[in-house]
Amino acid sequence: MIRNALIAVVVLALVVSALTVLWGWNALWRPLDNREVVFEVPADASGRSVLEGLHDVGLMPSELAGRLYLRFFADDRHLLYGRYRIPARSRPAVVLERILSGSVETMTITIVEGTSAEEVAEVGSSAGLGTVEEWRGLVSDGDLIHDLAPGALTLEGFLFPDTYRFAVGLPAASAVQHMLDRFREVWREEATSSLWRPPLELVTLASLVEAETSVPDERPRIAGVFANRL
C-alpha cells in the first residue's frame, strides 16, 4: 500500500515537473507570432511595469514567467531603459535578455570640424536627442568643461568633432557629456606632445583659424601667423 502511494507521488511529481517545463517553454522560449515591435523602457520604470508593458504589446505571454526568469536568470542585472527594436518571431526570454543587456536601438551623428556649438545644437536636436532649447542651454554652460578650462563661458570649441553612435532618445545632456569626454580623451593624448597653450586658449586660436579658412592645408600657416603675433 505504501509502495503504491510512493509510486503515485513520484508519478504525480514527474507529471507536474513535465507540465511546468512545458509551461515554461511555451511562456519563454516559443517564438512569438508577431511583427517587428519597437518597445520603449522609461528611465524610471519598475520591473513589474516593464513586464506589464511587454505583455500588453504581445512580447511576454506570461508576466509570471517573466518574473521567474528575472529572479533566477538575471544574475543581479537590471532592465535597462531605452528604445528597443524587437525582431519578429523573437522568443520572450530573448526579449528579456535584450533589455537586460541594454541592446537599445542606436543612431549615428557626425560632427565635422569647424562646426559651431550652435550648429551642433541643431544637429543633435534634429537627430531627436533632446530639443534645440536644451542643447542651447547646455552649450552655453562653460562650467561643464571647468576641469579643463576654468575660464570658459561656453562649450564653443569643446564639442569634439567625431562620429558618435548614440542610443535613440538619449537625453541631450548625456550626448553633450559624451562629446566633452571625447575632447578630454584626445586632449590627454595630445597634451604630452608640443601643445604650448591651455585648452581654452588653444580652442580659441583654433576658432580664429577656422574663421580665416576652411582649407585644411592653409590652417598650419595661418595658425603660425597668429602664434607669432601672440
Side-chain angles (χ1 to χ4, degrees):
M1 188 72 175
I2 295 177
R3 183 170 178 272
N4 291 337
L6 288 175
I7 292 174
V9 169
V10 171
V11 170
L12 179 61
L14 291 174
V15 170
V16 170
S17 297
L19 291 175
T20 300
V21 170
L22 180 61
W23 171 79
W25 186 89
N26 279 315
L28 291 169
W29 294 104
R30 187 176 67 177
L32 299 166
D33 185 19
N34 63 0
R35 294 172 294 179
E36 181 181 76
V37 176
V38 175
F39 183 77
E40 189 159 351
V41 178
D44 56 350
S46 66
R48 180 179 293 273
S49 66
V50 173
L51 290 174
E52 289 175 353
L54 291 172
H55 178 72
D56 290 342
V57 297
L59 293 175
M60 184 60 54
S62 170
E63 294 178 42
L64 173 60
R67 289 197 294 272
L68 291 174
Y69 186 92
L70 294 177
R71 180 174 181 178
F72 293 106
F73 299 103
D75 298 326
D76 295 325
R77 294 174 295 164
H78 300 283
L79 297 170
L80 302 177
Y81 77 91
R83 181 181 297 179
Y84 296 85
R85 187 170 295 276
I86 309 299
R89 303 285 295 169
S90 292
R91 302 173 190 270
V94 174
V95 173
L96 288 176
E97 283 296 328
R98 182 182 289 266
I99 301 175
L100 286 168
S101 63
S103 300
V104 296
E105 185 180 7
T106 61
M107 43 82 68
T108 300
I109 66 171
T110 298
I111 307 300
V112 299
E113 292 184 5
T115 303
S116 68
E118 174 67 21
E119 291 169 335
V120 173
E122 293 175 358
V123 171
S125 60
S126 297
L129 305 176
T131 65
V132 68
E133 289 77 16
E134 289 174 326
W135 276 87
R136 286 171 177 166
L138 290 163
V139 301
S140 64
D141 186 2
D143 287 342
L144 295 176
I145 197 67
H146 183 269
D147 55 314
L148 280 186
L153 299 178
T154 70
L155 299 183
E156 191 70 61
F158 293 102
L159 301 172
F160 194 81
D162 205 344
T163 296
Y164 297 91
R165 181 175 293 276
F166 291 133
V168 171
L170 185 75
S174 297
V176 168
Q177 194 59 58
H178 277 294
M179 295 179 184
L180 294 178
D181 288 342
R182 179 63 178 141
F183 181 94
R184 293 183 179 98
E185 178 185 0
V186 174
W187 179 264
R188 286 193 297 267
E189 294 172 355
E190 299 296 336
T192 57
S193 63
S194 59
L195 293 181
W196 36 265
R197 294 189 181 279
L200 181 57
E201 292 185 32
L202 197 63
V203 298
T204 302
L205 178 59
S207 297
L208 293 172
V209 173
E210 286 288 347
E212 289 292 326
T213 181
S214 60
V215 180
D217 292 342
E218 295 179 356
R219 290 170 183 162
R221 179 171 55 84
I222 295 175
V225 171
F226 279 119
N228 290 335
R229 290 178 180 175
L230 292 172

